[in-house]
Amino acid sequence: MSNEKKTLLVVKDLKQHFPIKTGGLLNKKIGAIRAVDGISFEVKEGETLGIVGESGCGKSTTVRSIAQLYRPTSGDVIFEGLNLCEAKEKELVLARRNIQMIFQDPYASLDPRMTVRSIISEPLVVFNKRGLLDKKLTKLEIEEEVERLMERVGLNKAFKNRYPHEFSGGQRQRIGIARALALNPRIILADEPVSALDVSIQAQILNLLNELQKELNLTYIFIAHDLAVIQHISTRVAVMYLGKIVELADSADLYDNPAHPYTQALLSAAPIPDPEIERKRQRIILTGDVPSPDKIQPGCYFQARCPKRMPWCTCHVPPTFDLGNNHKVACWLYDEKDYSKISKEEAQADADKNKTEVK
Amino acid sequence: MKDNKQPILEIKDLQTHFKTDAGVVKAVNGVSFTVNKGETVGIVGESGCGKSVTNLSIMRLIPSPPGKIVGGEVLFDGENILDLPESELREIRGNKISMIFQDPMTSLNPFLKISTQMIETIRLHEKDVDKQEARKRSIEMLKKVGIPAAEARIDSYPHQFSGGMRQRVMIAMALSCNAQVLIADEPTTALDVTIQAQILELIQQISKDFGTAVILITHDLGVVAGMCDKVCVMYAGKIVEEAYTYELYNNPAHPYTSGLIQSVPRMDTQNKQKKLFSIEGQPPNVIDLPPCCPFHPRCHKTMDVCRCALPPTYEVSEDHKVNCWLYASEEEKAKAVADAAKENDK
Ligand SMILES: Nc1ncnc2c1ncn2[C@@H]1O[C@H](COP(=O)(O)OP(=O)(O)OP(=O)(O)O)[C@@H](O)[C@H]1O
Ligand SMILES: Nc1ncnc2c1ncn2[C@@H]1O[C@H](COP(=O)(O)OP(=O)(O)OP(=O)(O)O)[C@@H](O)[C@H]1O
Ligand code: SF4
Ligand SMILES: [Mg+2]
Ligand SMILES: [Mg+2]
């Protein structure tokens, strides 16, 4: 389908661990939150990769690590051939021009003391001062650019001297988008850009993002927890659970044939705004707790809540299996070997054996 | 749908205002609806339209000042709650009507163990229950809401629970007094869909088992579609449409309702048209609203009359009410326009 398209971003075995410290004088490291724990994917030019998963599974940390707002613990982030994790400061600054972010809460992410004009023009002004733009811009040219951007995202340019608090949530999100577009980036990392908005405003912003993508050949990584929103906007979708990608597939494929038991539960639980359909659906109701992200699990991270768990799953971490059609899933159900008949004792014995071998 | 309807809660022309520096906020501006025994009523609408204030007013929990219930009636089993002395009010609050608040952290005390808080709640309402008994009942309730190892975890502090578990504790507390009406204000908004499904199922189960009437506030049209018998759509402090759920989704009468339903992306549609229907503009400020349809600046069917007069309530079919000039006769509209012109000339 997308064979001719160029790969813009490659993420390889990315890990972002946050140390947990004792505090106090010694402040010893006693563990780590494994916020992102070895994820890999590629994003093609002009496409949208959607990321879904429950609160705390590491979605924000993923995009922040890609943008190098945090330096990753390990792994590679290769943008147009340049490995950002190893790049020098100068190279990184240039790459940042092409990688922009939009945030969930447009109010918290906009400086309340700055006018809309200075918010939108700030990236331009900074890059201009450092001579990092293709050509030096005059003050007037920057002013014109701000007006053009405001009109493009549907803001009245007469409001450019106003402050963020004078705008509604949807308008503030437009300000954030205009600012992200100012440097003419290749990829936009959007962290829940519509989650805080009411449905009627959400539709306006989704339409705007879609139009901009077509017009500017933009690539998006788009985080949301609403599965219908993700389906609407994405070409490819990654489902995350506790710092790992458990399923990765083309959007249509994922929604038609969800493979991972967690994805199946998510899709079955997402409400559909139609009483006839909604009341006839079979729901998979999960039980059990989400394990804490600071512990290394001996088995599948989803097993405590999984309705299809086998004894094998409790003590073996599933690798990623390729189901063809570039559909990947991390679940033992999709290995060639059938584990369902293996007893708890046998599974545990096998796990113990592997442990001693590793030693 | 339900035959022998018996009203348990009737809200009549409720008005709640807030005094602010910018002027009087008419947060709830003449709201009326009825909740029958065992029924689940949904209230939907955009942020700030008055959903929480409506329900806080029912419980008389409006912070005053700046807020004040300035008019209307709230009849519980035929008795006007708004007239009751504080002592009798306490009998009703928690005992007969209980509430799950939008933010569970604000309603659980962070310094007290869950057990202490639950036991207190039960004993506050039923004075003859001893501590042992109340603790036993609390554990039972926690088990019912799906807290694993409830016996051990009842002695935890709120911060030791995840957001979803705290929400379930709130629900357990709200349900431990066998109330006749449960008001749930966005009980699942902060949770993810798998946990949301667990909690909604629980509320449904309890409503069925105990015949509890439920008022469910949400802005998720999918949740309403699955849970509610009846829906009230609010806009700028007023209910603009009210109908049974199937009727509302199949034949939305108000342009705002149909716009809302069309603007949500849906997982189940085949035609993934890339452009969503969207209602342009944004909700109005509820300070100094002129007498007009509050939705008219965003409506794609606006007529002259919408700009100069408040639309009355019309019954488009049995039990389906809408506040919109589209359902008025030509004479009625002409008269409203003429009256407004006269008013302006004065
Ligand atoms: N700066 C940080 N220091 C320590 N821990 C962090 C930091 N940022 C995130 N975490 C932890 O990492 C995990 C992943 O967090 P992250 O914000 O990426 O989740 P998320 O999927 O974006 O969740 P949400 O849907 O709630 O936004 C969480 O357990 C979080 O508490
Ligand atoms: N204490 C207060 N002082 C002043 N105004 C208030 C106060 N509480 C609420 N309001 C106003 O009343 C209106 C209705 O608020 P309400 O909380 O009922 O909205 P809501 O429909 O519950 O919105 P949300 O979906 O965001 O919860 C808003 O305009 C709000 O600003
Ligand atoms: S690996 Fe096992 S426990 Fe994990 S999702 Fe698959 S079936 Fe469930
Ligand atoms: Mg996040
Ligand atoms: Mg509210």
Side-chain angles (χ1 to χ4, degrees):
Chain A
M1 186 176 101
S2 48
N3 289 336
E4 345 71 78
K5 278 194 185 144
K6 193 173 121 204
T7 300
L8 189 67
L9 179 76
V10 183
V11 173
K12 273 194 208 152
D13 202 23
L14 182 70
K15 290 189 180 163
Q16 185 74 60
H17 295 177
F18 297 108
I20 309 173
K21 297 192 173 150
T22 50
L25 272 181
L26 293 175
N27 205 15
K28 270 198 303 202
K29 186 182 160 192
I30 49 166
I33 303 264
R34 311 167 75 86
V36 172
D37 203 19
I39 63 171
S40 305
F41 57 83
E42 292 182 1
V43 189
K44 297 221 163 71
E45 185 160 44
E47 292 197 347
T48 302
L49 173 77
I51 304 183
V52 274
E54 61 197 352
S55 183
C57 70
K59 305 179 295 293
S60 300
T61 307
T62 300
V63 291
R64 284 162 177 268
S65 306
I66 291 172
Q68 304 294 309
L69 296 180
Y70 305 135
R71 292 314 285 251
T73 310
S74 68
D76 301 314
V77 175
I78 302 162
F79 178 75
E80 293 203 293
L82 174 72
N83 191 343
L84 303 181
C85 299
E86 292 164 358
K88 298 195 190 62
E89 193 53 38
K90 179 87 200 276
E91 292 172 311
L92 210 52
V93 171
L94 279 175
R96 277 214 181 105
R97 191 183 145 183
N98 284 315
I99 306 174
Q100 292 292 321
M101 287 196 69
I102 309 174
F103 299 92
Q104 166 169 10
D105 181 349
Y107 200 50
S109 57
L110 303 175
D111 187 336
R113 291 155 308 178
M114 282 165 77
T115 60
V116 171
R117 170 209 278 118
S118 19
I119 289 171
I120 297 175
S121 66
E122 187 179 51
L124 273 174
V125 170
V126 170
F127 272 70
N128 197 35
K129 222 184 248 160
R130 297 172 70 172
L132 296 172
L133 295 179
D134 300 338
K135 82 183 223 315
K136 199 97 184 153
L137 298 179
T138 64
K139 246 191 156 152
L140 185 70
E141 281 170 322
I142 290 183
E143 194 69 21
E144 281 168 3
E145 186 59 14
V146 167
E147 291 185 356
R148 192 188 64 80
L149 285 165
M150 284 184 78
E151 284 189 331
R152 183 59 204 91
V153 300
L155 288 168
N156 189 338
K157 65 184 177 195
F159 294 164
K160 66 184 171 190
N161 291 323
R162 297 201 182 178
Y163 293 88
H165 73 262
E166 297 175 67
F167 293 88
S168 70
Q171 288 175 321
R172 289 199 284 254
Q173 200 52 282
R174 291 176 197 269
I175 299 173
I177 294 171
R179 178 185 160 100
L181 290 175
L183 292 172
N184 203 8
R186 306 286 302 280
I187 187 166
I188 290 186
L189 312 176
D191 190 356
E192 311 232 20
V194 295
S195 307
L197 306 176
D198 283 309
V199 281
S200 73
I201 312 291
Q202 168 180 296
Q204 297 172 6
I205 299 294
L206 288 174
N207 285 343
L208 174 66
L209 288 171
N210 262 330
E211 283 164 26
L212 290 170
Q213 176 164 50
K214 277 198 208 100
E215 213 173 284
L216 307 170
N217 193 28
L218 281 169
T219 307
Y220 292 144
I221 296 183
F222 191 104
I223 299 177
H225 55 249
D226 184 326
L227 286 138
V229 167
I230 285 288
Q231 182 186 34
H232 178 79
I233 194 122
S234 310
T235 31
R236 217 167 148 68
V237 178
V239 181
M240 285 187 76
Y241 193 79
L242 271 178
K244 296 186 177 358
I245 291 181
V246 295
E247 186 161 3
L248 179 64
D250 287 342
S251 180
D253 203 14
L254 186 105
Y255 282 83
D256 289 344
N257 308 300
H260 199 283
Y262 177 59
T263 316
Q264 291 169 354
L266 273 184
L267 291 185
S268 87
I272 291 175
D274 181 324
E276 238 120 333
I277 296 170
E278 184 65 9
R279 284 166 206 221
K280 277 196 224 114
R281 291 167 77 204
Q282 283 295 324
R283 276 231 158 81
I284 305 167
I285 301 279
L286 298 177
T287 53
D289 284 342
V290 185
S292 146
D294 62 341
K295 301 216 172 59
I296 300 182
Q297 305 292 327
C300 170
Y301 280 51
F302 184 57
Q303 59 93 8
R305 299 172 76 200
C306 182
K308 296 188 176 162
R309 172 187 55 222
M310 306 170 281
W312 183 263
C313 309
T314 59
C315 48
H316 295 82
V317 177
T320 303
F321 299 101
D322 199 328
L323 307 180
N325 197 15
N326 217 356
H327 188 150
K328 297 183 179 138
V329 59
C331 167
W332 285 114
L333 293 172
Y334 299 91
D335 194 2
E336 278 167 13
K337 193 171 156 193
D338 177 8
Y339 295 93
S340 62
K341 302 282 171 339
I342 297 179
S343 73
K344 191 152 179 47
E345 290 70 29
E346 288 168 300
Q348 194 57 51
D350 181 83
D352 293 344
K353 191 182 85 209
N354 288 346
K355 238 185 254 162
T356 43
E357 268 170 24
V358 172
K359 273 178 196 159
Chain B
M1 199 183 287
K2 282 207 172 73
D3 297 316
N4 44 350
K5 284 184 242 166
Q6 258 183 303
I8 178 85
L9 196 64
E10 289 168 272
I11 289 91
K12 292 185 177 165
D13 198 27
L14 184 68
Q15 294 165 22
T16 305
H17 295 178
F18 290 93
K19 274 215 178 77
T20 68
D21 295 340
V24 175
V25 176
K26 296 186 178 165
V28 175
N29 196 4
V31 160
S32 307
F33 64 98
T34 301
V35 184
N36 294 313
K37 285 190 176 150
E39 196 174 53
T40 300
V41 177
I43 301 186
V44 292
E46 275 168 292
S47 186
C49 70
K51 304 182 293 293
S52 297
V53 172
T54 299
N55 288 282
L56 290 170
S57 306
I58 293 174
M59 301 277 275
R60 268 171 65 186
L61 289 171
I62 295 296
S64 168
K68 191 161 191 244
I69 301 173
V70 295
E73 283 177 284
V74 175
L75 303 179
F76 175 78
D77 239 350
E79 195 172 24
N80 189 0
I81 295 184
L82 301 185
D83 288 342
L84 291 181
E86 190 67 27
S87 59
E88 280 174 57
L89 185 63
R90 232 171 292 142
E91 280 290 296
I92 290 188
R93 223 187 262 155
N95 234 352
K96 302 206 166 119
I97 307 179
S98 61
M99 183 153 182
I100 303 169
F101 294 88
Q102 201 162 355
D103 177 6
M105 245 354 218
T106 57
S107 32
L108 284 175
N109 185 331
F111 303 110
L112 292 180
K113 286 183 189 161
I114 305 273
S115 50
T116 318
Q117 303 192 44
M118 290 194 76
I119 291 168
E120 263 177 22
T121 310
I122 293 178
R123 286 178 26 107
L124 190 72
H125 297 296
E126 289 167 67
K127 302 200 171 55
D128 50 337
V129 177
D130 68 20
K131 272 198 180 147
Q132 235 72 48
E133 172 65 26
R135 186 184 167 90
K136 234 174 77 194
R137 252 186 37 205
S138 307
I139 292 174
E140 249 167 61
M141 235 35 233
L142 287 178
K143 280 189 181 156
K144 241 190 205 135
V145 298
I147 302 280
E151 285 93 347
R153 297 186 87 161
I154 190 169
D155 290 314
S156 314
Y157 290 91
H159 73 264
Q160 292 170 305
F161 279 13
S162 72
M165 284 165 69
R166 283 199 292 263
Q167 196 61 281
R168 277 180 274 182
V169 170
M170 282 291 309
I171 294 173
M173 278 169 73
L175 299 175
S176 62
C177 355
N178 291 332
Q180 284 163 278
V181 181
L182 172 68
I183 301 178
D185 192 351
E186 314 250 10
T188 56
T189 303
L191 309 175
D192 43 88
V193 287
T194 58
I195 314 263
Q196 166 170 291
Q198 286 175 31
I199 290 189
L200 293 180
E201 177 137 308
L202 180 77
I203 293 179
Q204 237 169 351
Q205 195 59 46
I206 297 223
S207 164
K208 224 196 247 149
D209 292 352
F210 302 105
T212 316
V214 180
I215 300 180
L216 181 71
I217 306 175
T218 173
H219 51 245
D220 189 326
L221 291 168
V223 169
V224 172
M227 292 276 295
C228 301
D229 298 308
K230 193 160 82 182
V231 191
C232 300
V233 181
M234 276 191 85
Y235 194 80
K238 286 185 164 29
I239 290 178
V240 295
E241 184 162 6
E242 181 188 338
Y244 282 111
T245 308
Y246 284 86
E247 167 73 7
L248 188 93
Y249 283 76
N250 292 332
N251 305 307
H254 200 286
Y256 175 60
T257 313
S258 67
L260 270 189
I261 293 174
Q262 287 176 69
S263 50
V264 245
R266 290 178 55 151
M267 265 173 26
D268 60 322
T269 48
Q270 290 306 312
N271 58 329
K272 292 271 163 298
Q273 90 292 23
K274 270 299 181 189
K275 191 154 166 68
L276 290 169
F277 181 87
S278 78
I279 307 173
E280 294 308 321
Q282 61 207 55
N285 187 343
V286 283
I287 300 172
D288 296 329
L289 261 189
C292 60
C293 169
F295 186 61
H296 87 261
R298 306 176 72 189
C299 183
H300 57 284
K301 292 190 171 161
T302 312
M303 304 163 286
D304 283 340
V305 62
C306 310
R307 293 186 195 94
C308 55
L310 192 69
T313 307
Y314 296 95
E315 198 143 340
V316 283
S317 60
E318 206 194 332
D319 293 323
H320 185 169
K321 293 183 209 142
V322 63
N323 289 43
C324 170
W325 283 115
L326 287 173
Y327 303 89
S329 65
E330 289 307 323
E331 299 84 72
E332 207 175 344
K333 284 186 276 190
K335 181 170 179 300
V337 173
D339 287 351
K342 242 184 267 160
E343 195 64 24
N344 266 347
D345 290 342
K346 267 189 207 160

